[in-house]
Amino acid sequence: IELVPGNEHDSKRFKSLMEGLRLKRREKRRLRARPKMVHSDSAYDTKEIRGYLSGKGIRANIPENERGKRAKRRRPYSFNKVTYRFGRSSVERFFGWLKGDFRRLALRHKRLLSTFKGFIYFASFLIARRVLR
């Protein structure tokens, strides 16, 4: 989790979030440095992000941003609508749980960044505990 100012676009912190990501494999129980595929919305459709992901061997499932088209591309990017909807709906559902079940996070009562981040971690733990039951 990385907290950014409200006037900064989320895509500016994409690389630092991906660098800090560690995943567990189910079969071997060892850490893997990167996911196989990333699902994100069309705001992340930039040459820098797509180049970063392809350099790391990660497939990008990002819809093309119509506003970002300046020149015709030689071939369209691959995009799977079914897996995109599944991946994005889980993210949106998580944020809905955060804002709906934990009013303190939606209203941002705490001024200290460390306190607010602690509440986010605690709420994430409670959501994961509830889902895994």
Side-chain angles (χ1 to χ4, degrees):
I1 295 174
E2 191 167 341
L3 301 175
V4 297
N7 60 354
E8 183 180 329
H9 196 269
D10 297 338
S11 65
K12 302 288 182 194
R13 304 286 178 113
F14 181 80
K15 290 180 185 178
S16 64
L17 278 174
M18 290 300 292
E19 292 297 325
L21 186 64
R22 297 290 179 255
L23 301 175
K24 265 190 182 176
R25 287 186 180 175
R26 290 186 179 194
E27 63 272 357
K28 295 183 183 177
R29 300 284 185 215
R30 64 180 183 168
L31 290 178
R32 179 174 57 164
R34 55 186 174 260
K36 294 178 184 176
M37 183 182 286
V38 170
H39 308 282
S40 73
D41 58 359
S42 60
Y44 293 88
D45 182 28
T46 63
K47 287 182 182 179
E48 294 83 22
I49 289 177
R50 288 188 184 269
Y52 173 79
L53 291 174
S54 66
K56 296 283 185 179
I58 303 170
R59 291 186 55 211
N61 197 16
I62 304 171
E64 289 188 35
N65 190 349
E66 296 297 325
R67 291 176 289 163
K69 284 187 178 178
R70 288 199 172 81
K72 290 244 180 192
R73 295 183 178 124
R74 294 184 182 173
R75 62 184 178 134
Y77 294 117
S78 65
F79 175 66
N80 189 340
K81 199 175 225 178
V82 174
T83 58
Y84 173 76
R85 282 187 179 167
F86 179 74
R88 288 297 301 164
S89 68
S90 61
V91 170
E92 297 300 330
R93 190 170 46 245
F94 174 74
F95 283 123
W97 287 336
L98 272 179
K99 289 183 176 184
D101 296 346
F102 304 96
R103 190 174 186 154
R104 182 178 299 248
L105 292 176
L107 298 177
R108 179 84 192 259
H109 286 294
K110 301 297 175 191
R111 291 181 183 250
L112 285 177
L113 189 65
S114 59
T115 307
F116 184 67
K117 200 170 186 178
F119 277 122
I120 290 176
Y121 282 132
F122 186 64
S124 301
F125 166 75
L126 291 176
I127 289 171
R129 183 176 159 249
R130 182 177 61 198
V131 169
L132 293 176
R133 273 192 179 175

